[in-house]
Amino acid sequence: MKKMPPVLLHGGDYNPDQWLDHPDILAKDVELMKEANINCVSMGIFAWSALEPEEGHYTFDWLDERINTLYKNGIYTFLATPSAARPAWLDEAYPEAMRVAADGTRNRHGNRHNSCLSSPAYREKVRQIDTQLAKRYGSHPGVILWHISNEFSGECFCPLCVERFRGWLKDRYGSIDKLNHAWWTSFWSHTYTSFDQIEPPYTNGERSVEGLILDWRRFTTWNTTEYLQMEVDTLKQYAPDVPVTTNFHATDSLDYAKLAEPIDVISWDSYPFWHKPDETLPYTAAVTSLMHSRMRGYKAGQSFLLMESAPALVNWQPYNKIRRPGMHRLASLQAVACGSDSVCYFQIRKARGSAEQFHGAVIDHLGTNETRIFREVKELGADLQKLSCLQGSRIHSKAAMLADRQNSWALDLCQGFSRNRNYQETLDRHFDAFTTATGCDLDVISFGEDLSPYSLLILPMCYTLSEEEAQRIREFTEKGDTVFATYALAYVDETLLAHLGGLPGGGLKDVFGIWNEEVDSLYPGETNHTFYQGQEYTIRDFCEVLHLQGAESLCSYEEDYYAGNPVLTKNSFGKGSAWYLAARTDDAFLRKVYSELAAAAGLPVQALPDTVEKHVRTDDSHRYTFYLNFSTESVTVDVPEGTDLLSGNPCGPSAVLPAYGAICIKEDL
Ligand code: GLA
Ligand code: ZN
């Protein structure tokens, strides 16, 4: 497999197909990209009409010319397959390629994310154009990565997909009786006698069997992954050396842990809501850092690519606030600090018309280098050149937080607790508390991932847990590591059947040394409290009523009929320890507990000022430590002694970070 060039990549989505009748603009683009220190573009993402204007009639000249010209000017291409949006001729000839919505009606031509991924006709058309692209560009030195389609998402309810769903269920369960048991269909007399009776969860259909809905989501992920594999195989047949990616984004509709399997490199599109009035900047940063860590986790230990980000404002948020001067640099360096080997944008040149005409871009409608955004992009490009040596270096975290997509779906489907389950927000708050209190990177992982690199495993609201996963947690603890779980642990198994014999299920009661008898849901505004090491903390939303069965109670509820029952417990199990948090506490409590847990688990804890993030990448001979200040005020931090790659100056033992400032200290190992 071709190696990525030994630099950090800087570029973005580029759509010359929108400007083919403006050679002057295309020439100017190259000039401006070079000036902005841009060294890569993603091309062809939505270019199907320009590449195949009529069925079977291909027009590659313009793409040949662009790839060659850019390469001669030092700019690499991530070459996309154009399957994310379809030309009108294709939908006219193959209407079955258009997706069917959840109400059973077929979409009409238009938009994107509108393909039935099961459709043999659609797959065949994609295979044909991908084959042409692979044969023509697979050995071009300028083409360094395939970019498959764009941001897969959504589901299709057409008869073909329904048929495939039934086949997938047959493979999964083997018999209709096993399926009936797993979905507990005897409830309300929903028992099936044949797989042919099963329908996906249409809006006016079966919405009460949660196991069915969960399996439908799993199926959609499987079907998308199978489709993705088809595109990968087509490209690899003629261009086996070019690595492959598909750009992920912040969607809940697919389990990316599965889509990650057929691709070589993880890439993703990050669009944080910076400068929100109701959220602190460091919190927005932590939420973004969680997402970067999530992406890093899909290919354990590998660096990833930031495939899209906004160099300026976006056009789709309810309020599209412009990033303040300096924010672009800080946000981009954060991606690199979290393990990205690139900073890429949507988009290089702003479209003149249609839906995204006012979405920020490196080159504005003005068409020159005179904008603030252009200058900031250019400066960032220069910074990335100074960080070239980081390419391929990795983050080696000793702590991981489990944040599985299927657990998220299960919690979403569960009709219990209260509505404010807020799984993602819970993950965000734990991630923020952990990283702020400890200064350590936190990996974010899915079920089934290797736990051996970690000495601390965090399980917020791990509601669904198979016997197998529970066993892995048991072994992790037994052999000497630390596990920290919260309320809602292991209520159901992977089919959503309740664990029998008491909670936490899956045989974890003795690991944690507790029995969780019931869970109280508080109304909004209601609170309980706990005193931990002399300090009072607030509890909201969820209070489980625990009984100790070997664990020690570290603090307890102050109020209500369960006053005196444990809030935080600790149990020794095997050579390790298992901590359990029974209630949703405030962030201050989480920070306190995480600083203790991390120290106990032997992590290199550094308490940081509230506005500062720290990340560490290493290669065989160096450590690169980033400190990023998400604040408009300057701040002083203790740092290791070394050279700040961004300023070129020696640094340490302390450093002043200006407003939105960043340093990256290189040390020899
Ligand atoms: C997504 C898409 C892009 C573009 C941007 C706009 O990430 O991949 O094509 O629509 O959003 O922010
Ligand atoms: Zn379909």
Side-chain angles (χ1 to χ4, degrees), residues 405-416:
R405 176 68 68 215
Q406 306 202 21
N407 185 57
S408 164
W409 291 338
L411 271 167
D412 173 39
L413 293 168
C414 156
Q415 302 190 43

Side-chain angles (χ1 to χ4, degrees), residues 96 98-100 106 115-119 156-162 223:
E96 70 271 32
M98 290 179 283
R99 202 168 270 190
V100 168
R106 195 173 288 279
S115 303
C116 167
L117 300 183
S118 304
S119 156
C156 174
F157 291 75
C158 81
L160 264 172
C161 287
V162 174
N223 204 31

Side-chain angles (χ1 to χ4, degrees), residues 9 56 100 161 180 227 251 257 299 345 385 420 476 506 601 652:
L9 293 160
V100 168
C161 287
N180 278 316
Y227 168 87
T251 178
K299 290 247 180 238
Y345 311 117
Q385 287 173 359
N420 52 0
F476 177 83

Side-chain angles (χ1 to χ4, degrees), residues 627-659:
Y627 290 90
L628 309 161
N629 182 22
F630 288 91
S631 166
T632 48
E633 309 285 324
S634 69
V635 66
T636 305
V637 274
D638 295 336
V639 299
E641 295 198 31
T643 309
D644 172 20
L645 290 175
L646 291 165
S647 67
N649 296 328
C651 200
S654 73
V656 177
L657 296 174

